[in-house]
């Protein structure tokens, strides 16, 4: 039995709605679609990059955040560590290319945090940045 065109349209609308909800829930997850593993294994990252990711996670965990200014300062601190990671990166080739797939959205999120105007926005961005940083370990050693 073949579905009627009307039934297909309804199904397509439902799929579109589900995709929209997923995108709204994880607005920054596009990078996950673009990054790849190294033939099924994690890329070897330079130690400075991994140390920088750990430092950014520690900075988030240790920060006392109660005002938009606190979130902005956290953004400034994360930006400093990110700048060090970029400056000290020695990765080349495909591992470097995939690092940039991961890094570019992080740079954008940190910039947004540096300019946040509210505690609510700052908290959401900080949570998103932390989740992004943790995602590093899924693709890099």
């Amino acid at each position: 039995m073949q579905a009627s065109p009307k039934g297909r349209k309804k199904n397509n609308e439902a799929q579109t709605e589900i995709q929209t909800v997923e995108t709204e829930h994880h607005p920054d997850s596009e990078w996950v679609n673009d990054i790849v593993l190294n033939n099924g294994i994690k890329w070897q990252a330079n130690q400075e990059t991994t140390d920088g990711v750990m430092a950014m996670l520690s900075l988030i965990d240790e920060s006392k955040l109660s005002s938009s200014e606190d979130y902005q300062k956290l953004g400034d601190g994360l930006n400093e560590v990110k700048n060090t990671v970029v400056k000290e990166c020695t990765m080349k080739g495909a591992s470097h290319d995939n690092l940039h797939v991961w890094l570019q959205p992080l740079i954008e999120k940190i910039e947004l945090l540096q300019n946040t105007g509210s505690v609510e926005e700052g908290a959401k961005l900080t949570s998103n940045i932390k989740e992004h940083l943790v995602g590093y370990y899924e693709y890099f050693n």
Side-chain angles (χ1 to χ4, degrees):
M1 185 170 156
Q2 190 172 10
S4 70
K6 187 176 183 180
R8 267 190 247 135
K9 183 177 180 191
K10 187 178 245 183
N11 188 31
N12 287 343
E13 287 173 1
Q15 287 176 347
T16 301
E17 185 178 321
I18 290 168
Q19 289 171 347
T20 302
V21 170
E22 288 173 359
T23 302
E24 287 173 5
H25 184 60
H26 299 289
D28 70 321
S29 62
E30 276 188 39
W31 68 271
V32 175
N33 297 327
D34 296 331
I35 198 167
V36 295
L37 289 169
N38 183 11
N39 295 317
I41 60 172
K42 295 177 185 182
W43 295 102
Q44 187 61 46
N46 65 314
Q47 190 60 49
E48 293 83 359
T49 299
T50 301
D51 289 348
V53 171
M54 288 190 306
M56 286 187 270
L57 284 167
S58 293
L59 192 57
I60 290 171
D61 289 341
E62 295 166 5
S63 293
K64 306 287 188 253
L65 304 167
S66 59
S67 69
S68 59
E69 291 80 14
D70 292 338
Y71 285 101
Q72 291 167 0
K73 287 177 189 172
L74 173 60
D76 292 342
L78 292 170
N79 192 54
E80 286 181 31
V81 176
K82 180 267 305 170
N83 287 341
T84 300
V85 166
V86 170
K87 184 170 58 171
E88 295 181 357
C89 183
T90 58
M91 295 167 64
K92 305 271 188 232
S95 64
H96 182 260
D97 295 343
N98 279 283
L99 179 67
H100 276 269
V101 169
W102 173 82
L103 188 59
Q104 188 58 45
L106 179 65
I107 291 169
E108 293 168 9
K109 292 175 203 177
I110 290 171
E111 185 176 329
L112 289 171
L113 186 60
Q114 289 177 287
N115 296 296
T116 191
S118 72
V119 171
E120 294 80 16
E121 180 186 29
K124 184 176 179 181
L125 283 165
T126 300
S127 174
N128 196 286
I129 289 169
K130 185 172 182 175
E131 183 178 311
H132 194 101
L133 290 166
V134 169
Y136 170 85
Y137 296 101
E138 293 179 37
Y139 298 95
F140 299 94
N141 283 325

